[in-house]
Amino acid sequence: VSDIKNYETRVEDAIDFGFVFDEHMKHYSLYHDEHDGIDSLGQVIEGTYNSPHYYFYGSLFHFYRLMLGHIVDPYHKQGLAPSALEHPETALRDPAYYQLFKRLDHFFQRYKNRLPRYTHEELNFDGVKIENVDVGKLYTYFEEYEFSVDMTVYVSKVEEIPKVDIRASQHRLNHKDFDYKVEVSSEKDTDAYVRVFLGPKYDELGREYDLNDRREYFVELDRFPYHVKAGKTVIERKSHDSSIIAPDPESYAKFFKNVNTAFEGKSEYYIDRSHVQCGYPENLLIPKGQKGGQAFTFYVIVTPYVKQDEHDFDPYDYKAFSYCGVGHNRKYPDDKALGYPFDRQIHSNDFFTPNMYF
C-alpha cells in the first residue's frame, strides 16, 4: 500500500509540474502537445513498455488490481489462482473494479483540468447549424437471455461437439431499438463529424445539474462521419449502428457448424473483422430508466471532419472504433480528444455554439 501511495504521489507531481522523467533524467512535457501528453500520462499509469521510467512511476493500473485481487494471499505463499478482478474477462463482475477506475480517472481529470477550456472558435463550425434533433422516447426493460456454455464441457472426440448443448439463462437489462434524426443546415457542402452523447439532467435531489458539474457523466453513444450538403440535411441514424457497441458473441456450436459446413463445400464462411468482441455490450447502450420515466440530456455536436489517414473508415478491425481503435498500423480517424468537448472544464456561455444541440 505504501508503494502505491508513493507511485500516486509521483504521478500527481508529474501532472502538477507538467513533466515526466526517464531513467536519464530527461524530461518530457505533458502540456506541449495534448495528444502526446495524454499518451505519456497513460503509459505512466498503465506501466507499459513505453513508460519513460517504469521503476519510478510503477504501474498503478496493475498494482491496484493486484492489491485487492490477491488480498487473501498477498505474498503468493498459498499458490492461489488470480481473482476475478485480475482477469479481463471477469473483472467487470467485481464492484471494486469500478472504484479502482474512478481512482484512476482522478489522475486524468487532474490533467485535463490543467488544460485551457475550449474557446468559441475551437467549438464552432462556421456555416453549420443544428436546427433540431428528434430522438423520441427511449425504453429499457429486463429480459431472460440464454447463452451457450458448451465450452465448459470437455469432449474427447470432435464428433461429439455437436451433441453438446448446454445453456445458461441471465436476467439482464436491454432496450428497444431506437433511431434519431439530426436536422443540419449548412452554407456549403462539407464533410462533418457527428458526435452523440447522453448524460444526466438532474441530480439525486431533483435539481438540474450545472453543465460543468455533469460533464464527466456524459457518455458517448455514437460518432460517425457524414457528408453535409448545402442547404438542409436530415441525418438519420439507428442505435444498432453505434460506434461503441459490440454484438452478442456467436456461440461455439454455431461457429463450429458454420465452419464445418464451409469445409464440406456446402456454403462459404467469411471472417468479419469488424465482428470482434471488443466494445460496449449493445444491450447496455442506454442506462436503466424508471417506470414513470427519467429525464436525460441528449447532446449532439457536428464538427469539421479532418482526414487523418488515406484509409480512414475503410473496413477496419473493430466496429466499436470509438473505444477500441481501428487495429494495427492504422491511425485513429479523429483529430479531437476522447470525450470532446466534455473533456475540459466549462465555465461560460462561450461553450454554446450553433453546431451543437441539447
Side-chain angles (χ1 to χ4, degrees), residues 20 91 108 145 147 167 172 204 206 219 223 248 263 267 300 311 315 329:
V20 291
F108 291 100
Y145 174 71
F147 58 95
R167 304 178 188 182
R172 72 173 192 177
E204 67 278 7
V219 177
R223 188 194 324 176
D248 290 323
F263 183 77
S267 66
V300 180
H311 299 295
N329 301 318

PDB file of all heavy atoms in Angstrom, residues 20 91 108 145 147 167 172 204 206 219 223 248 263 267 300 311 315 329:
ATOM      1  N   VAL A  20       7.285  14.490 -17.189  1.00  0.00           N
ATOM      2  CA  VAL A  20       7.670  13.167 -16.708  1.00  0.00           C
ATOM      3  C   VAL A  20       9.139  12.977 -17.055  1.00  0.00           C
ATOM      4  O   VAL A  20       9.644  13.551 -18.026  1.00  0.00           O
ATOM      5  CB  VAL A  20       6.818  12.042 -17.347  1.00  0.00           C
ATOM      6  CG1 VAL A  20       5.393  12.103 -16.861  1.00  0.00           C
ATOM      7  CG2 VAL A  20       6.869  12.099 -18.870  1.00  0.00           C
ATOM      8  N   ALA A  91     -13.377  -9.159 -14.720  1.00  0.00           N
ATOM      9  CA  ALA A  91     -13.115  -8.020 -13.835  1.00  0.00           C
ATOM     10  C   ALA A  91     -14.350  -7.160 -13.601  1.00  0.00           C
ATOM     11  O   ALA A  91     -14.558  -6.627 -12.507  1.00  0.00           O
ATOM     12  CB  ALA A  91     -11.982  -7.166 -14.407  1.00  0.00           C
ATOM     13  N   PHE A 108      -6.477  11.506 -14.662  1.00  0.00           N
ATOM     14  CA  PHE A 108      -6.741  12.090 -15.979  1.00  0.00           C
ATOM     15  C   PHE A 108      -7.554  13.381 -15.853  1.00  0.00           C
ATOM     16  O   PHE A 108      -7.324  14.336 -16.600  1.00  0.00           O
ATOM     17  CB  PHE A 108      -7.464  11.076 -16.863  1.00  0.00           C
ATOM     18  CG  PHE A 108      -6.605   9.913 -17.262  1.00  0.00           C
ATOM     19  CD1 PHE A 108      -6.708   8.693 -16.611  1.00  0.00           C
ATOM     20  CD2 PHE A 108      -5.671  10.037 -18.277  1.00  0.00           C
ATOM     21  CE1 PHE A 108      -5.906   7.624 -16.967  1.00  0.00           C
ATOM     22  CE2 PHE A 108      -4.858   8.975 -18.648  1.00  0.00           C
ATOM     23  CZ  PHE A 108      -4.976   7.764 -17.986  1.00  0.00           C
ATOM     24  N   TYR A 145     -32.158 -13.857 -20.881  1.00  0.00           N
ATOM     25  CA  TYR A 145     -31.294 -14.073 -22.044  1.00  0.00           C
ATOM     26  C   TYR A 145     -30.554 -15.399 -21.898  1.00  0.00           C
ATOM     27  O   TYR A 145     -29.927 -15.667 -20.872  1.00  0.00           O
ATOM     28  CB  TYR A 145     -30.296 -12.923 -22.164  1.00  0.00           C
ATOM     29  CG  TYR A 145     -29.257 -13.118 -23.241  1.00  0.00           C
ATOM     30  CD1 TYR A 145     -29.596 -13.047 -24.586  1.00  0.00           C
ATOM     31  CD2 TYR A 145     -27.926 -13.379 -22.904  1.00  0.00           C
ATOM     32  CE1 TYR A 145     -28.641 -13.224 -25.575  1.00  0.00           C
ATOM     33  CE2 TYR A 145     -26.966 -13.551 -23.884  1.00  0.00           C
ATOM     34  CZ  TYR A 145     -27.328 -13.477 -25.220  1.00  0.00           C
ATOM     35  OH  TYR A 145     -26.377 -13.657 -26.192  1.00  0.00           O
ATOM     36  N   PHE A 147     -27.599 -17.996 -23.152  1.00  0.00           N
ATOM     37  CA  PHE A 147     -26.337 -18.028 -23.885  1.00  0.00           C
ATOM     38  C   PHE A 147     -25.681 -19.394 -23.699  1.00  0.00           C
ATOM     39  O   PHE A 147     -25.911 -20.096 -22.709  1.00  0.00           O
ATOM     40  CB  PHE A 147     -25.405 -16.906 -23.431  1.00  0.00           C
ATOM     41  CG  PHE A 147     -25.074 -16.924 -21.964  1.00  0.00           C
ATOM     42  CD1 PHE A 147     -23.924 -17.532 -21.499  1.00  0.00           C
ATOM     43  CD2 PHE A 147     -25.924 -16.318 -21.048  1.00  0.00           C
ATOM     44  CE1 PHE A 147     -23.616 -17.545 -20.153  1.00  0.00           C
ATOM     45  CE2 PHE A 147     -25.626 -16.320 -19.693  1.00  0.00           C
ATOM     46  CZ  PHE A 147     -24.470 -16.938 -19.245  1.00  0.00           C
ATOM     47  N   ARG A 167     -26.930 -24.530 -21.951  1.00  0.00           N
ATOM     48  CA  ARG A 167     -27.198 -23.093 -21.971  1.00  0.00           C
ATOM     49  C   ARG A 167     -27.456 -22.578 -20.555  1.00  0.00           C
ATOM     50  O   ARG A 167     -27.928 -23.307 -19.691  1.00  0.00           O
ATOM     51  CB  ARG A 167     -28.402 -22.778 -22.858  1.00  0.00           C
ATOM     52  CG  ARG A 167     -28.251 -23.293 -24.284  1.00  0.00           C
ATOM     53  CD  ARG A 167     -29.475 -23.013 -25.115  1.00  0.00           C
ATOM     54  NE  ARG A 167     -29.409 -23.670 -26.417  1.00  0.00           N
ATOM     55  CZ  ARG A 167     -30.341 -23.560 -27.352  1.00  0.00           C
ATOM     56  NH1 ARG A 167     -31.418 -22.818 -27.124  1.00  0.00           N
ATOM     57  NH2 ARG A 167     -30.203 -24.190 -28.504  1.00  0.00           N
ATOM     58  N   ARG A 172     -31.159  -9.840 -17.547  1.00  0.00           N
ATOM     59  CA  ARG A 172     -30.310  -8.708 -17.900  1.00  0.00           C
ATOM     60  C   ARG A 172     -31.114  -7.528 -18.442  1.00  0.00           C
ATOM     61  O   ARG A 172     -32.250  -7.669 -18.901  1.00  0.00           O
ATOM     62  CB  ARG A 172     -29.273  -9.122 -18.938  1.00  0.00           C
ATOM     63  CG  ARG A 172     -29.839  -9.365 -20.324  1.00  0.00           C
ATOM     64  CD  ARG A 172     -28.739  -9.614 -21.338  1.00  0.00           C
ATOM     65  NE  ARG A 172     -29.252  -9.571 -22.709  1.00  0.00           N
ATOM     66  CZ  ARG A 172     -28.496  -9.689 -23.795  1.00  0.00           C
ATOM     67  NH1 ARG A 172     -27.202  -9.894 -23.680  1.00  0.00           N
ATOM     68  NH2 ARG A 172     -29.037  -9.616 -25.001  1.00  0.00           N
ATOM     69  N   GLU A 204     -29.375  13.861  -7.561  1.00  0.00           N
ATOM     70  CA  GLU A 204     -30.160  12.962  -6.710  1.00  0.00           C
ATOM     71  C   GLU A 204     -31.250  13.685  -5.927  1.00  0.00           C
ATOM     72  O   GLU A 204     -32.176  13.047  -5.408  1.00  0.00           O
ATOM     73  CB  GLU A 204     -29.229  12.217  -5.741  1.00  0.00           C
ATOM     74  CG  GLU A 204     -28.554  13.077  -4.688  1.00  0.00           C
ATOM     75  CD  GLU A 204     -27.311  13.786  -5.202  1.00  0.00           C
ATOM     76  OE1 GLU A 204     -27.042  13.714  -6.413  1.00  0.00           O
ATOM     77  OE2 GLU A 204     -26.610  14.410  -4.379  1.00  0.00           O
ATOM     78  N   GLY A 206     -33.099  16.096  -7.380  1.00  0.00           N
ATOM     79  CA  GLY A 206     -34.033  16.627  -8.355  1.00  0.00           C
ATOM     80  C   GLY A 206     -33.684  18.003  -8.876  1.00  0.00           C
ATOM     81  O   GLY A 206     -34.482  18.626  -9.577  1.00  0.00           O
ATOM     82  N   VAL A 219     -21.819  10.311 -21.532  1.00  0.00           N
ATOM     83  CA  VAL A 219     -21.253   9.108 -22.149  1.00  0.00           C
ATOM     84  C   VAL A 219     -21.483   9.173 -23.655  1.00  0.00           C
ATOM     85  O   VAL A 219     -22.586   9.474 -24.116  1.00  0.00           O
ATOM     86  CB  VAL A 219     -21.913   7.834 -21.578  1.00  0.00           C
ATOM     87  CG1 VAL A 219     -21.381   6.594 -22.284  1.00  0.00           C
ATOM     88  CG2 VAL A 219     -21.666   7.741 -20.075  1.00  0.00           C
ATOM     89  N   ARG A 223     -20.473   8.052 -32.843  1.00  0.00           N
ATOM     90  CA  ARG A 223     -19.605   9.009 -33.529  1.00  0.00           C
ATOM     91  C   ARG A 223     -19.423   8.521 -34.959  1.00  0.00           C
ATOM     92  O   ARG A 223     -19.070   7.372 -35.186  1.00  0.00           O
ATOM     93  CB  ARG A 223     -18.257   9.087 -32.818  1.00  0.00           C
ATOM     94  CG  ARG A 223     -17.347  10.180 -33.337  1.00  0.00           C
ATOM     95  CD  ARG A 223     -15.933  10.020 -32.867  1.00  0.00           C
ATOM     96  NE  ARG A 223     -15.783   9.496 -31.511  1.00  0.00           N
ATOM     97  CZ  ARG A 223     -14.599   9.228 -30.979  1.00  0.00           C
ATOM     98  NH1 ARG A 223     -13.502   9.419 -31.681  1.00  0.00           N
ATOM     99  NH2 ARG A 223     -14.506   8.748 -29.760  1.00  0.00           N
ATOM    100  N   ASP A 248     -23.685  -9.409 -29.379  1.00  0.00           N
ATOM    101  CA  ASP A 248     -23.521 -10.608 -28.558  1.00  0.00           C
ATOM    102  C   ASP A 248     -22.646 -11.613 -29.302  1.00  0.00           C
ATOM    103  O   ASP A 248     -22.767 -11.777 -30.520  1.00  0.00           O
ATOM    104  CB  ASP A 248     -24.883 -11.244 -28.260  1.00  0.00           C
ATOM    105  CG  ASP A 248     -25.710 -10.402 -27.306  1.00  0.00           C
ATOM    106  OD1 ASP A 248     -25.115  -9.810 -26.394  1.00  0.00           O
ATOM    107  OD2 ASP A 248     -26.942 -10.338 -27.485  1.00  0.00           O
ATOM    108  N   PHE A 263     -16.309 -26.095 -44.777  1.00  0.00           N
ATOM    109  CA  PHE A 263     -15.235 -27.044 -45.066  1.00  0.00           C
ATOM    110  C   PHE A 263     -15.724 -28.165 -45.983  1.00  0.00           C
ATOM    111  O   PHE A 263     -14.979 -28.671 -46.830  1.00  0.00           O
ATOM    112  CB  PHE A 263     -14.703 -27.628 -43.752  1.00  0.00           C
ATOM    113  CG  PHE A 263     -13.544 -28.555 -43.927  1.00  0.00           C
ATOM    114  CD1 PHE A 263     -12.269 -28.058 -44.184  1.00  0.00           C
ATOM    115  CD2 PHE A 263     -13.713 -29.930 -43.839  1.00  0.00           C
ATOM    116  CE1 PHE A 263     -11.195 -28.916 -44.353  1.00  0.00           C
ATOM    117  CE2 PHE A 263     -12.647 -30.791 -44.004  1.00  0.00           C
ATOM    118  CZ  PHE A 263     -11.378 -30.281 -44.261  1.00  0.00           C
ATOM    119  N   SER A 267     -21.310 -24.410 -48.164  1.00  0.00           N
ATOM    120  CA  SER A 267     -21.536 -22.971 -48.039  1.00  0.00           C
ATOM    121  C   SER A 267     -20.184 -22.271 -47.959  1.00  0.00           C
ATOM    122  O   SER A 267     -19.137 -22.919 -47.986  1.00  0.00           O
ATOM    123  CB  SER A 267     -22.374 -22.653 -46.794  1.00  0.00           C
ATOM    124  OG  SER A 267     -21.650 -22.979 -45.621  1.00  0.00           O
ATOM    125  N   VAL A 300     -25.869  16.540 -29.130  1.00  0.00           N
ATOM    126  CA  VAL A 300     -25.271  16.282 -30.445  1.00  0.00           C
ATOM    127  C   VAL A 300     -24.409  17.478 -30.835  1.00  0.00           C
ATOM    128  O   VAL A 300     -24.814  18.630 -30.651  1.00  0.00           O
ATOM    129  CB  VAL A 300     -26.350  16.052 -31.528  1.00  0.00           C
ATOM    130  CG1 VAL A 300     -25.693  15.780 -32.879  1.00  0.00           C
ATOM    131  CG2 VAL A 300     -27.269  14.903 -31.141  1.00  0.00           C
ATOM    132  N   HIS A 311      -6.734   5.769 -45.343  1.00  0.00           N
ATOM    133  CA  HIS A 311      -7.626   4.623 -45.160  1.00  0.00           C
ATOM    134  C   HIS A 311      -8.698   4.890 -44.103  1.00  0.00           C
ATOM    135  O   HIS A 311      -9.313   3.954 -43.597  1.00  0.00           O
ATOM    136  CB  HIS A 311      -6.819   3.391 -44.753  1.00  0.00           C
ATOM    137  CG  HIS A 311      -5.813   2.968 -45.774  1.00  0.00           C
ATOM    138  ND1 HIS A 311      -6.171   2.509 -47.023  1.00  0.00           N
ATOM    139  CD2 HIS A 311      -4.454   2.960 -45.733  1.00  0.00           C
ATOM    140  CE1 HIS A 311      -5.077   2.214 -47.710  1.00  0.00           C
ATOM    141  NE2 HIS A 311      -4.024   2.482 -46.950  1.00  0.00           N
ATOM    142  N   PRO A 315     -12.955  -0.532 -44.233  1.00  0.00           N
ATOM    143  CA  PRO A 315     -13.282  -1.599 -43.269  1.00  0.00           C
ATOM    144  C   PRO A 315     -12.127  -1.819 -42.300  1.00  0.00           C
ATOM    145  O   PRO A 315     -10.995  -2.046 -42.698  1.00  0.00           O
ATOM    146  CB  PRO A 315     -13.487  -2.820 -44.175  1.00  0.00           C
ATOM    147  CG  PRO A 315     -13.956  -2.232 -45.462  1.00  0.00           C
ATOM    148  CD  PRO A 315     -13.185  -0.943 -45.615  1.00  0.00           C
ATOM    149  N   ASN A 329      -1.418  -0.733 -37.118  1.00  0.00           N
ATOM    150  CA  ASN A 329      -0.870   0.053 -38.227  1.00  0.00           C
ATOM    151  C   ASN A 329      -1.899   0.966 -38.885  1.00  0.00           C
ATOM    152  O   ASN A 329      -1.836   1.227 -40.085  1.00  0.00           O
ATOM    153  CB  ASN A 329      -0.258  -0.875 -39.284  1.00  0.00           C
ATOM    154  CG  ASN A 329       0.847  -1.739 -38.720  1.00  0.00           C
ATOM    155  OD1 ASN A 329       1.673  -1.266 -37.941  1.00  0.00           O
ATOM    156  ND2 ASN A 329       0.858  -3.010 -39.100  1.00  0.00           N
TER     157      ASN A 329
END
